[in-house]
Amino acid sequence: MTKKNSHPSSTSVNDNDQIMKSSTQSSSSTTGSDEEEGSSSIVTSHRANLNRINSDMDTTKPRRHKVPMPEPSPSTLRRWSVPTTNPRRSVPAIHEENDSAAADNDTTDNDDASGSGGERWAEQLKSSCGCSHRKSSKEWLTTLLPMTSWLSTYKWKDYLQTDILAGLTVGVMIVPQSMSYAKLAGLPVQFGLYSSLVPIYAYAFFGSSRQLAVGPVAMVSLLLSTGLTMILENDGITPATRPDGEYDTIYATLALQTSVLVGICYIAMGLLRLGFVTIFLSHAVVSGFTSAAAIIIGLSQVKYIFGYDIPNDKSLHGILKNIFARIDQFNWKTFLLGTSCVVTLVGLKKVAQSYPRFKWTRAAGPLLVTVVSIVLQATLDLQSRGIPIVEYIPPGLPTFTGDIVFPVTNMGNLAIVVLSIVIVGFMESIAIAKKLAQVHGYELDSSLELVGLGMANLTSGLFGGYSVTGSFSRSAVNNASGAHSGLSAMVTATMVAITLLCLTSVFEMLALATLASIVISGVVSLVDYSEAIYLWRVHKFDFSVWMAAFIGTLFLGVELGLGISVGISILLVIFESAYPHTAVLGRLPGTHQYRNIKQYPDAELYDGIVLVRVDAPIYFANTQHVRDKIQKYYQRAEDSLHPEDHNNNNSDDNDGEENKPLHREVQRVKFVILELNPVSHIDTSALHTLQEMNSTFRKDKDIQLCLSNPNPRVMRRLVQSGLADEIGREHIFVSLHDAVHYCLDHMDTVEMEKHASRLSLNKEGGELIVNNDIDHWNEDNVKPSTVAGDENDDIEVGLDVEKF
């Protein structure tokens, strides 16, 4: 009998009314001499369901999976023929050739058929090293030197002018910014300039993004400052204990070593194809962490605005305490200069955003305040009036610092700092790089991007710089200025080189308050309060995650905040993986589509059949949850077939006949169908669970487990484990529609055989005696009923087949 999940449609009501009406007519006219004719006029509810489905569309015979053949080895494939494509595509298909439903699942993409995450990772490693197929010399050159991918198609007449202009524009920004971020990192300003020279050249050669502007950024500078300060304090090294510049020398050496280690980590991750690691940080976590870190960065620069020394602290309350502890030393001159520069920079950004004609003001802002500050120092002598300036920048290009970097004796202590910079740096860089690649229509390889960033950080540490990554602000300006290739980055680096060779004496007159204003204006936009409002309105749980990352970073420090953020992200991944979404499915009337009955309440359910979909891979972490869900859905279906069991406790023994529940044609669940289309892979734990479930269903409950649409890898695992044979390969179908068609047809056949056996009994005293010699029927003993007077409690009879 068809049910509609408590919302029956008119179609099903009419069908049931017609069945009952025809049943009454047939019961009043049936006699013992009409046995053969009566048998041909019987229509069960299963047949009625099948007829309605067939009337909705043309239905063919249920299609089942073929037995998958083992993959030939690469040597066997080479003996057969010389493949022109990936040899894996020569493997015989598991699905039938003309199966459109299976084609949706059996694609030619290796990722869809390569099984578990570990197997896909191994395939990517083979692909990158050329083990899966032979790479041409051009492919090898592109892999080793990504610059050749855009250089071979570069349009010199069209792109050269705009690339030079973009490079000069970013160069105007990066000179003062790099000096500011170096001060934020606790290093002399020349470290920022050195980090904007050789690393940019290196990324232009080895990076895969064509518009990404690499160099010092505020977030990495803060991580470096807080991390190295904590390491030295734990070792008892402070400026007070190591005077005369010794502390600065030790700190600078650790900064160089950190950059080299970060570069090595990036390169190793790129070679191992680990570019996917950043997906474990959700957007809410990243936004909360970045917003809090931006506040910490801004407050760390207040000492240059207020004009007195403020001890650094890793937490918000610690910084505020230190600020107000020496507020009596407030310098109104530096405050006036610094706030004027901040207002100017923020105002020019707003102008650029509001008026596209003046978008150049965003890049010109840092240069403008820098020029004004230098002019004021040259004319009014700000230093003599109590406004500190940079004072000294060593002229000339950086020297090789490899002899200072090696050996690395504090690798264990630097591990946390290196790891935090690797995570945040790559996350920040890959986000803007992928967006730019999408805008310009070229593909970006995350693993090649890791190698490019690794070479930039490695060369930075070897040539006097500190850790670098992609910059949001400079990349946006580079793209808006018309950059088409890495040539713009080379122009930027050349401008920095000219500055180091010729203009260091000029930038020595730059006020520290101006540098601080550049940092503060740069991080203002990182405080993503609008995202918090959006999350509160749309998704309260994600808002709580945002707040946890934000508050943890703000009050516990950047390192602990980052650890909390990563921990929250990993817990979310584990939770979503261990508790995947599952659903009971029903057929949408008029179609052969099966959808979640909670989303589509009018979807048809069929007595005796439970359709379950698991929307995730099934592996050791979620097998228990999947099994419990299937058991829950099965029990719920059983209870719906016996609603009287739930009412017995609330009913009296002498209830009237009107309270007796209607007898159903199906007394128990007979089929459980698992839709495996969303299941990309299963492991041995899942196989054992399915085996136990199948054994329990078949032996204890006489229920047949059916599978629908497993992908090639899952099907292969089923065959290799023997589970396909235990379930029965005739019970593994290409689609849910075929599975339901088979189950309904099977139950209809059983019901018809049961009814035929009754009609063949001898009539004694006006009653039918049940023939108990039917071996194939396992239902409870059926009470005999009279032909004329009693209703048939097992099937609905009398519906004319021709009416369907």
Side-chain angles (χ1 to χ4, degrees):
M1 182 179 297
T2 305
K3 60 181 180 179
K4 291 281 192 173
N5 194 33
S6 77
H7 296 279
S9 66
S10 59
T11 304
S12 61
V13 172
N14 293 337
D15 287 343
N16 291 333
D17 291 345
Q18 191 173 10
I19 290 172
M20 298 303 297
K21 180 178 179 180
S22 300
S23 175
T24 303
Q25 294 174 355
S26 178
S27 298
S28 62
S29 61
T30 304
T31 61
S33 61
D34 299 332
E35 292 177 2
E36 293 182 359
E37 183 179 353
S39 177
S40 63
S41 64
I42 298 302
V43 177
T44 67
S45 63
H46 310 304
R47 178 55 55 185
N49 289 331
L50 281 173
N51 289 339
R52 183 170 58 257
I53 293 174
N54 292 341
S55 67
D56 288 338
M57 68 212 64
D58 293 332
T59 305
T60 60
K61 184 178 179 181
R63 295 162 291 177
R64 299 179 176 86
H65 276 254
K66 291 183 177 179
V67 179
M69 298 181 64
E71 285 190 7
S73 64
S75 59
T76 303
L77 286 173
R78 284 195 293 269
R79 287 197 303 269
W80 287 348
S81 63
V82 178
T84 57
T85 58
N86 194 322
R88 291 178 56 82
R89 300 185 183 179
S90 300
V91 179
I94 292 177
H95 303 293
E96 296 192 16
E97 294 179 356
N98 296 324
D99 179 42
S100 59
D104 294 338
N105 208 353
D106 185 17
T107 63
T108 58
D109 189 355
N110 287 340
D111 289 343
D112 293 339
S114 57
S116 65
E119 292 170 330
R120 290 196 297 271
W121 180 46
E123 287 295 329
Q124 290 180 357
L125 285 178
K126 292 180 180 179
S127 176
S128 62
C129 67
C131 299
S132 60
H133 67 281
R134 294 182 178 179
K135 287 186 175 182
S136 64
S137 57
K138 183 178 180 181
E139 290 176 330
W140 274 113
L141 185 60
T142 302
T143 301
L144 298 176
L145 198 64
M147 172 188 179
T148 58
S149 63
W150 58 263
L151 192 60
S152 59
T153 58
Y154 190 77
K155 299 178 181 179
W156 293 92
K157 293 183 179 180
D158 298 333
Y159 296 162
L160 182 59
Q161 183 177 355
T162 55
D163 275 339
I164 293 175
L165 179 61
L168 293 174
T169 305
V170 175
V172 168
M173 290 182 66
I174 199 172
V175 171
Q177 278 189 351
S178 62
M179 297 169 65
S180 304
Y181 294 146
K183 296 295 291 183
L184 173 61
L187 295 165
V189 293
Q190 64 266 22
F191 275 72
L193 295 172
Y194 297 160
S195 302
S196 306
L197 181 58
V198 181
I200 294 182
Y201 281 120
Y203 183 81
F205 280 89
F206 297 98
S208 56
S209 177
R210 303 173 188 179
Q211 288 80 27
L212 186 68
V214 171
V217 297
M219 199 67 63
V220 171
S221 300
L222 177 66
L223 290 171
L224 182 67
S225 174
T226 55
L228 295 186
T229 301
M230 182 178 62
I231 291 174
L232 293 178
E233 287 180 353
N234 292 337
D235 293 339
I237 302 175
T238 63
T241 60
R242 299 294 179 92
D244 301 329
E246 184 179 356
Y247 177 85
D248 294 336
T249 302
I250 297 174
Y251 188 96
T253 302
L254 291 179
L256 296 174
Q257 292 175 340
T258 300
S259 182
V260 170
L261 292 177
V262 169
I264 293 174
C265 287
Y266 276 142
I267 294 173
M269 291 172 63
L271 295 178
L272 294 176
R273 309 291 293 181
L274 296 178
F276 61 87
V277 293
T278 55
I279 65 176
F280 293 105
L281 294 175
S282 68
H283 180 72
V285 166
V286 173
S287 177
F289 167 77
T290 304
S291 299
I295 295 175
I296 298 296
I297 292 171
L299 290 176
S300 69
Q301 299 299 295
V302 168
K303 61 183 178 182
Y304 301 112
I305 303 294
F306 283 8
Y308 60 91
D309 186 52
I310 300 174
N312 290 327
D313 197 279
K314 62 182 180 181
S315 61
L316 173 65
H317 55 280
I319 294 176
L320 293 178
K321 178 182 177 181
N322 294 335
I323 289 175
F324 290 103
R326 302 182 182 181
I327 194 65
D328 57 323
Q329 302 178 17
F330 177 77
N331 186 340
W332 66 270
K333 297 176 183 178
T334 58
F335 179 79
L336 180 60
L337 176 63
T339 52
S340 300
C341 292
V342 170
V343 171
T344 301
L345 291 170
V346 174
L348 290 176
K349 282 186 178 181
K350 294 296 183 181
V351 170
Q353 293 174 358
S354 303
Y355 303 98
R357 294 175 55 187
F358 301 102
K359 62 181 180 181
W360 54 269
T361 58
R362 179 175 184 178
L367 179 62
L368 176 63
V369 296
T370 299
V371 171
V372 171
S373 178
I374 292 174
V375 171
L376 289 175
Q377 169 61 25
T379 57
L380 301 178
D381 193 7
L382 299 179
Q383 187 177 18
S384 64
R385 299 175 185 273
I387 299 178
I389 61 174
V390 173
E391 290 187 356
Y392 177 70
I393 302 176
L397 300 178
T399 58
F400 181 74
T401 55
D403 54 338
I404 301 176
V405 171
F406 300 103
V408 181
T409 58
N410 294 322
M411 188 174 298
N413 295 332
L414 292 173
I416 296 178
V417 183
V418 170
L419 183 61
S420 62
I421 292 176
V422 165
I423 294 174
V424 175
F426 182 60
M427 177 183 65
E428 185 174 351
S429 179
I430 197 65
I432 185 65
K434 284 188 174 181
K435 180 64 177 178
L436 293 173
Q438 181 181 2
V439 170
H440 290 273
Y442 62 88
E443 294 183 2
L444 185 79
D445 191 328
S446 297
S447 297
L448 290 180
E449 186 67 13
L450 278 168
V451 175
L453 288 176
M455 293 300 297
N457 280 274
L458 182 62
T459 55
S460 182
L462 294 177
F463 289 92
Y466 70 99
S467 301
V468 298
T469 191
S471 168
F472 280 100
S473 59
R474 293 194 298 271
S475 297
V477 170
N478 193 37
N479 178 64
S481 300
H484 290 92
S485 68
L487 187 61
S488 63
M490 297 181 187
V491 174
T492 299
T494 303
M495 189 171 179
V496 174
I498 295 173
T499 301
L500 284 169
L501 291 172
C502 307
L503 300 176
T504 55
S505 60
V506 175
F507 284 97
E508 288 175 353
M509 295 185 289
L510 183 61
L512 296 181
T514 303
L515 292 179
S517 67
I518 295 174
V519 174
I520 293 173
S521 66
V523 299
V524 165
S525 59
L526 296 180
V527 183
D528 199 1
Y529 61 89
S530 60
E531 179 66 16
I533 297 173
Y534 171 80
L535 293 176
W536 171 259
R537 188 175 68 252
V538 175
H539 202 292
K540 296 295 191 297
F541 180 77
D542 275 356
F543 174 78
S544 65
V545 171
W546 190 96
M547 287 299 299
F550 179 78
I551 294 175
T553 304
L554 207 58
F555 291 97
L556 299 179
V558 177
E559 294 84 4
L560 286 178
L562 179 61
I564 291 173
S565 302
V566 173
I568 292 174
S569 293
I570 293 176
L571 286 177
L572 291 176
V573 171
I574 294 175
F575 178 81
E576 294 294 339
S577 177
Y579 297 94
H581 179 263
T582 57
V584 175
L585 306 181
R587 188 179 75 93
L588 298 182
T591 72
H592 64 272
Q593 302 297 322
Y594 292 79
R595 295 292 183 266
N596 189 345
I597 60 173
K598 289 186 177 180
Q599 185 177 2
Y600 299 93
D602 290 337
E604 294 181 351
L605 298 176
Y606 303 110
D607 289 343
I609 303 175
V610 180
L611 295 92
V612 181
R613 187 185 68 211
V614 181
D615 295 327
I618 307 177
Y619 69 112
F620 65 90
N622 60 21
T623 52
Q624 181 64 42
H625 175 75
V626 171
R627 177 171 56 187
D628 293 345
K629 280 292 188 178
I630 294 174
Q631 291 287 353
K632 174 184 176 181
Y633 296 148
Y634 154 74
Q635 192 59 50
R636 183 184 298 170
E638 281 282 330
D639 294 341
S640 68
L641 294 175
H642 303 283
E644 66 276 7
D645 293 342
H646 300 285
N647 299 325
N648 286 340
N649 295 333
N650 299 326
S651 302
D652 295 331
D653 294 336
N654 296 325
D655 283 344
E657 190 69 20
E658 65 275 11
N659 292 327
K660 182 182 296 184
L662 293 175
H663 185 77
R664 289 178 178 270
E665 191 173 279
V666 179
Q667 296 297 309
R668 56 183 176 80
V669 174
K670 298 180 181 180
F671 293 94
V672 174
I673 304 174
L674 294 184
E675 166 65 303
L676 298 181
N677 180 46
V679 179
S680 60
H681 74 91
I682 57 176
D683 67 353
T684 54
S685 297
L687 291 171
H688 287 309
T689 299
L690 290 176
Q691 287 174 330
E692 294 171 3
M693 191 184 305
N694 178 63
S695 177
T696 301
F697 278 155
R698 179 169 292 183
K699 294 181 180 179
D700 300 341
K701 303 176 182 179
D702 195 24
I703 296 174
Q704 177 61 54
L705 180 65
C706 299
L707 306 179
S708 169
N709 200 17
N711 68 32
R713 181 68 64 170
V714 172
M715 187 63 188
R716 191 169 291 108
R717 294 287 182 264
L718 295 174
V719 172
Q720 291 172 345
S721 65
L723 182 58
D725 293 322
E726 293 180 20
I727 294 175
R729 301 190 184 187
E730 68 276 10
H731 298 127
I732 303 178
F733 299 90
V734 166
S735 68
L736 273 177
H737 184 65
D738 295 333
V740 172
H741 192 282
Y742 167 83
C743 296
L744 289 174
D745 186 68
H746 177 83
M747 291 190 294
D748 172 69
T749 301
V750 172
E751 293 287 349
M752 293 302 297
E753 290 179 354
K754 179 181 177 182
H755 181 72
S757 67
R758 290 181 175 181
L759 294 180
S760 65
L761 298 177
N762 294 326
K763 182 176 181 181
E764 297 181 0
E767 294 183 352
L768 291 177
I769 309 250
V770 177
N771 185 353
N772 294 321
D773 294 331
I774 303 176
D775 295 332
H776 65 273
W777 184 251
N778 295 321
E779 287 283 342
D780 298 335
N781 292 333
V782 181
K783 296 180 181 181
S785 59
T786 59
V787 174
D790 294 343
E791 290 184 359
N792 191 331
D793 290 335
D794 298 290
I795 57 174
E796 297 156 346
V797 298
L799 187 61
D800 190 358
V801 178
E802 294 180 357
K803 292 183 179 182
F804 290 88

